Amino acid sequence: MKRFLLLIVIGFLLQSCARVGSPVGGAKDTLAPKFLGSNIDTTRINVPRDIKELRLDFDEYITLKDINKNLNISPPIKNIKRIIPANIANKFILIQWTDTLQANTTYNFNFGNAIADNNETNILRYFNFAFSTGEKIDDLYISGEVKDALSIKKAGENKFVVGLYKAKDTIDYKQKPYYMTKVDDDGYYELNYLSPGEYKIIAFEDENGNSIYDAGKEKVGFQKDLVIVEKSISGLNLKLYSSKRPVKYLEMKEAAGGVMMTFEGKPNTVKVQSQNEKLNDYKVTHTPKSDTVRIWFDAVKSNLGQNGAENLKFGYNADNKKDTLYNASLFYRYNAKNTMDVNSDNGGGLLPPREDFKITSNYYLDKINTDKWIFRIAGDTLNTVPFTAKISETNPYQILMKADYISGKKYQLIVPKETVSSFYAKNYQSKRFDFEADRVENYGSLTFKLQNAPSSSYWIQLVDSSDKVLYQKYTKGSDVKFDILKPGEYIVKILVDNNENKYWDEADFQNDIFAEDSYIYYKVTVVRPLWDSNEEWDLKDTRVLDTSKLSVPKTNSNPTPTDEQPKNLNVNGNNALLTPTR
């Protein structure tokens, strides 16, 4: 009898400890979990300020997905102690904190898409729970759309958030917004349960999930004017732009020809001065609005880093904020492998019609001696072809070679060693470049007629579906023509140089400065061989490009960017700054 009772008890315990799982058979569960109730009474008003937890009950076992990224509590409650469930499914959510709640305040817990049932992961989308420590629950709202002004990415999950800061003399943007919500994947947002008042609104791409805008690292959109919430507001739309990064020194490291100093942010000017007894002969180059400074010297001649790492010290000042120099240093070891070299800048061995043949160097170019260069038609060892070559005025690492190139002809260029010079080095070996002058019939052209064209200069860019700039012009007026284009599909952007500084300026939220104007053409433009495509574009047209239908460009090879080509948004038409020898 005892043995029989023991077996019953063991069976009961095994059944009680069974894991929660999916039932066998039956129709598939497609319903999201259903909210049943909470530890706060149904009126949800006059909630005691010393309450330390919120419990939400559901009709089935649930799990929480990325709760720290999905959950937004407005206004923020600091010192969240724990959130249940963590790793094991449960029929309730428990959030505990140590803070005392504010008086007469409506709190909203927005769970985004964090709540899902345990069996089929059906999501309870955008579940909100609100309560008030006062006599009523605030019910005002702001809604609208958020879009990335320059992105051509296909629609999908985003990390955009929208927040409100209470308007006051000094707003601490290093704190979480007072109200905050996540933008859904279609770009729509709602800030709910708002109390009347004046607010500063901000939208940003919360890349690191900390619910705080990180200047210079995350895209941002905002309104200069305060948002006055007296009644609910619909249609408050915001566009996100790249943000200006504050200038901050990062590091120095050994680089070909000397050392490299890098910054977070893009200073206009950088002053550098050697603080080493050995290093008196050096050059400093920096392009305005660039995050990199190069310091060039002859390490062998100066006996630097020849027998091991040697501490090099420099003083620097970025953007002349003060007259004083800040200290920077590195342990420098000379790397004999970092020699000066030259290479072809024309991809695929085909030179597009009406273009210069381009040669690039890993060193800043000081002068060239073309007297010993040999340029001829391939296979013709008796005759040479006349040419001229010069260092590019906009890219001091590039040589442009002009000649009367004949379509379909193959050419050979020999650049002997020590005919291309930097400050303290020359190309260490001879190079031979073989290429063919491509035929014009392999290319098309594209003409744009702009309505409501910018009054200032602008960049018009042709980019592919990965947002890589393939062609660009810096121009002014309403008519633009690209003569020689590889056949394919292109997305067209315009970046306006409103202040005519030859740099597209990003948004500066802290100083209430908008990004300069920009536009994306609402159609994918197709270029065909021997075809002159004509497009009319009214910049006031609000239609948007359908990114869901973008395909990889059908170009045969990557075209060679022009000298005026920027890298992404780092538009910079200025020459490099050369600091004289000390």
Side-chain angles (χ1 to χ4, degrees):
M1 184 67 180
K2 290 181 179 180
R3 183 177 180 183
F4 177 72
L5 291 174
L6 180 61
L7 289 174
I8 292 176
V9 171
I10 292 173
F12 175 77
L13 290 174
L14 288 173
Q15 185 176 2
S16 300
C17 295
R19 293 179 61 189
V20 177
S22 301
V24 178
K28 183 178 179 179
D29 179 14
T30 60
L31 299 177
K34 183 179 179 181
F35 171 64
L36 298 178
S38 75
N39 62 319
I40 295 175
D41 64 45
T42 54
T43 63
R44 302 188 195 178
I45 59 173
N46 295 316
V47 174
R49 293 178 60 199
D50 59 355
I51 192 171
K52 301 297 181 183
E53 67 179 31
L54 171 66
R55 175 180 169 128
L56 306 173
D57 295 309
F58 295 88
D59 66 339
E60 59 180 313
Y61 284 92
I62 62 167
T63 58
L64 295 178
K65 178 183 177 183
D66 296 330
I67 185 63
N68 292 325
K69 293 182 179 180
N70 274 292
L71 176 62
N72 283 309
I73 304 174
S74 298
I77 297 177
K78 297 180 180 179
N79 302 318
I80 299 294
K81 188 165 64 174
R82 68 171 176 167
I83 300 176
I84 298 174
N87 300 317
I88 302 175
N90 214 319
K91 280 193 172 183
F92 65 86
I93 296 173
L94 181 65
I95 302 175
Q96 297 178 322
W97 56 85
T98 58
D99 281 1
T100 299
L101 302 181
Q102 301 177 45
N104 299 313
T105 301
T106 297
Y107 286 88
N108 178 34
F109 290 70
N110 184 337
F111 288 86
N113 292 325
I115 303 172
D117 68 46
N118 185 56
N119 291 332
E120 301 293 344
T121 65
N122 297 309
I123 297 173
L124 180 58
R125 298 186 182 278
Y126 306 110
F127 176 72
N128 286 265
F129 185 88
F131 62 83
S132 175
T133 56
E135 295 183 353
K136 68 182 184 71
I137 293 179
D138 295 315
D139 59 357
L140 299 177
Y141 69 85
I142 298 175
S143 66
E145 292 185 345
V146 174
K147 293 182 179 179
D148 189 327
L150 287 170
S151 176
I152 59 171
K153 293 179 181 179
K154 296 182 179 180
E157 185 178 358
N158 65 62
K159 298 181 180 180
F160 303 163
V161 296
V162 179
L164 294 178
Y165 289 95
K166 279 191 171 182
K168 47 189 175 181
D169 293 338
T170 302
I171 301 177
D172 186 359
Y173 295 116
K174 293 183 179 180
Q175 298 293 323
K176 291 182 179 181
Y178 191 78
Y179 293 109
M180 189 170 175
T181 189
K182 191 177 185 299
V183 181
D184 70 21
D185 293 339
D186 294 322
Y188 179 77
Y189 77 90
E190 276 189 13
L191 288 159
N192 295 308
Y193 304 106
L194 307 181
S195 62
E198 295 183 348
Y199 301 93
K200 179 75 172 180
I201 190 168
I202 180 176
F204 59 96
E205 189 170 22
D206 193 19
E207 284 286 349
N208 57 11
N210 66 351
S211 301
I212 299 172
Y213 166 60
D214 295 298
K217 298 179 181 179
E218 296 172 335
K219 295 180 180 180
V220 65
F222 57 94
Q223 277 195 172
K224 289 185 180 181
D225 296 332
L226 295 177
V227 179
I228 301 173
V229 180
E230 297 174 336
K231 59 182 180 180
S232 295
I233 300 172
S234 300
L236 202 167
N237 302 330
L238 298 166
K239 289 185 178 181
L240 299 184
Y241 292 90
S242 298
S243 58
K244 183 179 180 180
R245 182 169 294 192
V247 174
K248 178 183 177 182
Y249 169 78
L250 287 180
E251 64 173 350
M252 289 186 69
K253 60 182 179 181
E254 185 271 335
V259 296
M260 177 188 298
M261 179 184 292
T262 56
F263 290 85
E264 183 178 280
K266 298 166 185 174
N268 281 306
T269 61
V270 180
K271 180 181 178 181
V272 178
Q273 191 173 61
S274 171
Q275 297 177 346
N276 310 277
E277 290 184 2
K278 289 184 179 181
L279 189 57
N280 297 310
D281 185 12
Y282 63 96
K283 297 284 193 303
V284 178
T285 59
H286 171 248
T287 303
K289 297 287 187 180
S290 168
D291 59 4
T292 303
V293 176
R294 296 292 296 268
I295 305 169
W296 308 89
F297 52 81
D298 188 333
V300 176
K301 184 178 179 181
S302 300
N303 191 27
L304 291 170
Q306 302 298 302
N307 300 314
E310 188 168 348
N311 191 13
L312 288 185
K313 297 180 180 180
F314 296 89
Y316 74 91
N317 188 310
D319 283 345
N320 299 316
K321 294 180 179 179
K322 295 181 181 180
D323 293 332
T324 56
L325 293 176
Y326 300 92
N327 295 322
S329 64
L330 80 159
F331 284 96
Y332 173 80
R333 182 192 295 270
Y334 173 66
N335 185 356
K337 294 181 179 180
N338 281 336
T339 53
M340 182 179 178
D341 198 9
V342 292
N343 291 285
S344 169
D345 200 22
N346 294 76
L350 289 174
L351 178 65
R354 304 174 201 167
E355 277 199 14
D356 299 332
F357 183 75
K358 299 179 181 67
I359 300 171
T360 58
S361 173
N362 58 336
Y363 277 51
Y364 190 105
L365 297 176
D366 183 29
K367 56 187 175 183
I368 58 176
N369 179 9
T370 61
D371 293 344
K372 296 181 180 180
W373 289 18
I374 300 173
F375 183 49
R376 57 197 175 197
I377 294 175
D380 185 351
T381 58
L382 299 177
N383 301 298
T384 58
V385 177
F387 71 93
T388 60
K390 67 175 184 178
I391 299 171
S392 169
E393 295 178 356
T394 56
N395 182 357
Y397 294 83
Q398 187 178 76
I399 299 170
L400 306 177
M401 193 181 87
K402 294 182 180 293
D404 291 329
Y405 303 108
I406 301 173
S407 296
K409 287 288 185 181
K410 295 183 178 180
Y411 293 91
Q412 185 181 93
L413 172 65
I414 297 175
V415 178
K417 65 179 181 179
E418 298 188 345
T419 59
V420 179
S421 301
S422 184
F423 304 120
Y424 305 99
K426 295 182 178 181
N427 57 316
Y428 75 103
Q429 64 176 355
S430 297
K431 281 292 184 74
R432 192 184 89 179
F433 303 107
D434 296 287
F435 63 93
E436 179 180 343
D438 207 354
R439 301 178 186 275
V440 70
E441 53 263 34
N442 294 330
Y443 297 80
S445 65
L446 173 61
T447 301
F448 265 95
K449 180 72 174 179
L450 301 180
Q451 297 179 35
N452 297 297
S455 58
S456 56
S457 301
Y458 58 89
W459 293 267
I460 182 166
Q461 299 177 328
L462 307 184
V463 308
D464 64 16
S465 58
S466 66
D467 216 10
K468 178 183 178 181
V469 179
L470 302 177
Y471 298 96
Q472 170 170 281
K473 283 183 179 290
Y474 183 69
T475 186
K476 198 171 186 176
S478 59
D479 298 303
V480 185
K481 184 172 184 179
F482 292 90
D483 286 316
I484 303 294
L485 296 177
K486 279 284 187 182
E489 295 180 350
Y490 297 96
I491 298 144
V492 187
K493 292 183 179 182
I494 285 179
L495 307 177
V496 183
D497 190 11
N498 295 102
N499 58 11
E500 297 283 357
N501 68 346
K502 293 189 176 180
Y503 181 85
W504 191 82
D505 292 293
E506 301 98 335
D508 186 350
F509 175 63
Q510 285 84 345
N511 294 309
D512 267 348
I513 299 174
F514 288 139
E516 293 190 287
D517 296 335
S518 65
Y519 306 89
I520 296 180
Y521 191 37
Y522 62 87
K523 293 192 299 184
V524 174
T525 301
V526 179
V527 174
R528 297 181 176 87
L530 279 179
W531 191 271
D532 186 8
S533 300
N534 292 277
E535 299 282 351
E536 291 190 1
W537 182 6
D538 185 351
L539 297 190
K540 289 188 176 180
D541 193 327
T542 57
R543 284 177 287 180
V544 297
L545 180 69
D546 184 1
T547 57
S548 65
K549 297 180 180 179
L550 290 179
S551 60
V552 177
K554 299 176 182 178
T555 51
N556 296 327
S557 62
N558 289 331
T560 304
T562 62
D563 286 342
E564 56 195 5
Q565 159 114 5
K567 294 181 180 178
N568 296 326
L569 299 182
N570 300 331
V571 182
N572 192 335
N574 299 306
N575 295 333
L577 176 67
L578 174 60
T579 303
T581 305
R582 276 23 177 219

